[in-house]
Amino acid sequence: MSRGRIAVLVSNDLSFDQRVRKTCATLQKAGYEPVLIGRRMAKTDASSIDRPYPTHRIWLRASRGPMFYLLLQQGLLKVLNEIHANGGLVAIWANDLDTLGPAVYGGRKWNVDVAYDSHEWFTEAEGLKNKPIRKGIWIWWQRRMFRHLCRMLTVNEAIAKAYRTQGLEVDVVPNVPELSPPAVPMSRADLGWPEQNTVLLIQGAFMDRDRGALDAVRSLVHLPNIHLALIGAGPEFDDAPELASALGVRDRLHVHERMPFHKLCRCTVAADVGLSLDRSTVDNFKFSLPNKLFDYLHAGLPVVCTDLPVAGRFVTEEGVGQVVEAVKGDDEVALATSKAILALLDNKPSSDHLSEVASRHHWGSHEATLLQAIHPLR
């Protein structure tokens, strides 16, 4: 028997958010009926996607700024009202702060449970850097919304500690993959990658500023015969080919638009080394534990990671790769990154060790914690 419908709210494109996909799968396995609500990135996109539960994608006239957030709240509330009027809801699941308002409003209006999953340290995100007014508004909004919550989820213990100062019970569900057999590697010939040379990989649905794609391109200057593949989207992804051309390494850079998860897994397995090169320019990056780290491990790839408090410590303590020396300046970072890559290639962790670490970090081990996030409002 169904335990009822849960509306799951996101502000991005439904197709590429793997944490939300896994959340919905967990809810469905637990007997709930998830209804996933997000947005269309282009007006011509379909209004739903192929999932084993209902999906709704709303179109917004604005894609950034105050008007975008206003239209997002209105659009999510409109769909929530329609869903509740057509069969009701038992809970609303908000992903990140920009969807929490409609969730709290609906929870209070219909007396249904709410869950809140913060995928990042939202008020310390790169997009709010050097924007004190905008950041202040989000901090005010977060404080106002948190008055109605009892608990929440986030992605690692460092960010959880920051949120606990707001008076909430905060549980951690890291961005880890589901436990499954390794994917069959995609043909390097089909990808345009060399068969014999080492291929480094950075994957990311949105490569924002200071996420390391440009640092990886610069490191190629010091890594003759080594190639770099970027899979994703975002500002650094867009700028990488021009920088590679200017540095004379364009022939060793391979760029691929973001792709469905099953195809991404096959590409990941085809690479040799996974890179996670976030800079510590904002606290959201500094204290992150990126999901790509775990995607690499589950694909059997060793990792090169920047020296950050959480991610760097994980790589060192688990013995799954090399940490880049902390230096400043683009040229210095590129040289330090290349040295870490060469050190890793000289002393790779064994595939058995990588597999053992991956077996301890998977989504299924956190599903009970995730389900506990559903709670009545204060």
Side-chain angles (χ1 to χ4, degrees):
M1 180 180 291
S2 170
R3 299 174 68 178
R5 293 193 299 177
I6 296 182
V8 181
L9 311 183
V10 298
S11 62
N12 57 15
D13 187 332
L14 307 182
S15 303
F16 302 103
D17 195 319
Q18 295 308 311
R19 185 174 177 91
V20 171
R21 180 189 64 79
K22 290 178 290 190
T23 296
C24 289
T26 297
L27 293 175
Q28 194 170 41
K29 186 165 66 173
Y32 294 104
E33 299 176 44
V35 181
L36 182 56
I37 308 168
R39 64 188 178 100
R40 289 183 282 164
M41 305 305 288
K43 195 171 184 178
T44 54
D45 287 346
S47 58
S48 63
I49 61 173
D50 184 19
R51 291 284 174 86
Y53 41 80
T55 63
H56 300 264
R57 299 166 93 194
I58 57 179
W59 166 247
L60 305 178
R61 298 192 307 274
S63 60
R64 64 182 64 186
M67 182 56 68
F68 161 70
Y69 290 109
L70 175 61
L71 293 173
L72 176 66
Q73 311 307 299
Q74 293 175 342
L76 292 176
L77 282 171
K78 181 175 183 292
V79 177
L80 279 176
N81 274 292
E82 292 170 353
I83 293 173
H84 192 270
N86 187 26
L89 292 165
V90 297
I92 305 171
W93 190 290
N95 292 281
D96 281 325
L97 186 57
D98 50 5
T99 70
L100 185 54
V104 168
Y105 176 84
R108 297 180 70 193
K109 180 178 180 181
W110 301 309
N111 193 29
V112 300
D113 291 348
V114 166
Y116 177 49
D117 185 0
S118 185
H119 297 191
E120 59 182 354
W121 194 350
F122 194 96
T123 56
E124 298 298 329
E126 197 278 338
L128 298 179
K129 185 173 66 175
N130 300 323
K131 297 174 181 177
I133 295 176
R134 186 177 300 179
K135 181 175 179 177
I137 291 172
W138 280 116
I139 290 174
W140 168 81
W141 182 250
Q142 176 178 270
R143 189 180 301 117
R144 182 177 179 182
M145 292 298 101
F146 279 10
R147 290 203 303 259
H148 304 289
L149 300 181
C150 300
R151 62 191 309 158
M152 63 176 286
L153 294 175
T154 193
V155 292
N156 67 56
E157 185 60 31
I159 296 177
K161 287 181 179 178
Y163 278 125
R164 288 183 188 122
T165 64
Q166 305 292 318
L168 300 182
E169 183 175 344
V170 185
D171 292 320
V172 174
V173 174
N175 278 324
V176 289
E178 294 142 317
L179 193 60
S180 61
V184 177
M186 187 171 290
S187 163
R188 284 196 171 189
D190 291 342
L191 289 166
W193 299 359
E195 293 290 348
Q196 303 301 323
N197 301 73
T198 296
V199 177
L200 314 172
L201 172 66
I202 294 184
Q203 62 187 51
F206 191 77
M207 298 181 190
D208 212 338
R209 300 296 178 192
D210 297 325
R211 297 307 299 266
L214 299 185
D215 290 327
V217 171
R218 295 185 190 100
S219 75
L220 292 179
V221 173
H222 307 287
L223 299 167
N225 301 318
I226 290 180
H227 289 237
L228 170 67
L230 304 179
I231 305 176
E236 289 212 343
F237 177 88
D238 294 338
D239 292 347
E242 183 177 352
L243 176 62
S245 296
L247 296 175
V249 297
R250 182 65 183 86
D251 60 322
R252 293 189 284 127
L253 174 67
H254 310 271
V255 292
H256 307 271
E257 299 287 341
R258 59 186 183 178
M259 56 187 65
F261 185 66
H262 70 278
K263 184 177 179 182
L264 176 62
C265 290
R266 297 188 62 201
C267 292
T268 305
V269 176
D272 297 299
V273 176
L275 304 180
S276 180
L277 303 177
D278 293 358
R279 293 193 181 192
S280 59
T281 50
V282 294
D283 283 349
N284 187 45
F285 294 168
K286 183 177 180 179
F287 296 105
S288 68
L289 187 59
N291 58 324
K292 57 178 171 277
L293 277 179
F294 298 100
D295 290 340
Y296 298 150
L297 292 179
H298 279 251
L301 270 61
V303 174
V304 171
C305 177
T306 36
D307 187 16
L308 298 177
V310 181
R313 184 171 66 246
F314 175 84
V315 170
T316 300
E317 291 180 350
E318 294 286 2
V320 295
Q322 289 285 332
V323 173
V324 179
E325 179 187 2
V327 294
K328 294 182 179 180
D330 291 348
D331 294 340
E332 290 79 6
V333 169
L335 181 59
T337 301
S338 67
K339 288 180 178 179
I341 292 168
L342 292 174
L344 176 65
L345 294 176
D346 284 342
N347 186 25
K348 283 187 178 181
S350 70
S351 57
D352 286 344
H353 176 69
L354 294 174
S355 178
E356 188 277 325
V357 174
S359 72
R360 291 189 278 106
H361 299 279
H362 65 90
W363 187 258
S365 63
H366 300 280
E367 287 184 309
T369 300
L370 183 138
L371 291 170
Q372 291 173 1
I374 303 169
H375 69 281
L377 291 172
R378 292 176 181 171

